[in-house]
Amino acid sequence: QVQLLESGGGSVQAGGSLRLSCAISGATNGRNCVGWMRQVPGYGREGVAAIYSGDGQTHYVDSVKGRFTISQDNAKNTVYLEMNTLKPEDTAMYYCAAGPAFPLCIVGTSTTTHYWGQGTQVTVSS
């Protein structure tokens, strides 16, 4: 089993920045891809960014390209999501997700995404 623990959410004004962290523990198999998804109440989860643990290759959804950066610190077993120039529409619960295939771990199906964190809230006010 893989455990994912998010931290770093909070409230910020539009244009501000936040950094989310996902601390990873447990098994090393089945988590070649680690990423972030987000969900607004009443809507489905949306993939945001993913990173391949092997070579650090990254993938972003178009709406966050140029504003968000995903990175990993293998020594700390932690994946980060640096979020800049935040917009009110970025407001959501953010979940760390992991799965065996990059970048599919942010698709969110039972086949592609095997592990989830409990989420951290990000609120951006205008």
Side-chain angles (χ1 to χ4, degrees):
Q1 286 292 326
V2 175
Q3 291 80 43
L4 306 174
L5 182 62
E6 305 97 333
S7 61
S11 297
V12 65
Q13 289 192 326
S17 298
L18 283 172
R19 187 177 80 158
L20 306 183
S21 299
C22 174
I24 307 165
S25 60
T28 56
N29 292 334
R31 57 175 177 88
N32 295 321
C33 174
V34 179
W36 294 90
M37 301 190 74
R38 62 187 180 186
Q39 187 172 24
V40 175
Y43 293 85
R45 291 186 183 183
E46 174 193 31
V48 176
I51 190 164
Y52 177 50
S53 62
D55 62 5
Q57 186 179 171
T58 59
H59 172 80
Y60 299 93
V61 67
D62 285 347
S63 61
V64 307
K65 284 181 180 177
R67 300 189 299 122
F68 291 12
T69 302
I70 189 169
S71 63
Q72 61 186 2
D73 184 332
N74 291 331
K76 295 182 178 180
N77 285 328
T78 301
V79 170
Y80 303 98
L81 185 68
E82 184 76 34
M83 305 185 294
N84 298 313
T85 319
L86 281 161
K87 304 176 181 180
E89 51 263 42
D90 294 316
T91 295
M93 183 71 78
Y94 282 71
Y95 297 90
C96 187
F102 173 83
L104 301 182
C105 61
I106 59 170
V107 171
T109 68
S110 59
T111 302
T112 62
T113 312
H114 293 182
Y115 305 104
W116 296 95
Q118 79 278 21
T120 186
Q121 178 67 36
V122 171
T123 301
V124 184
S125 58
S126 57

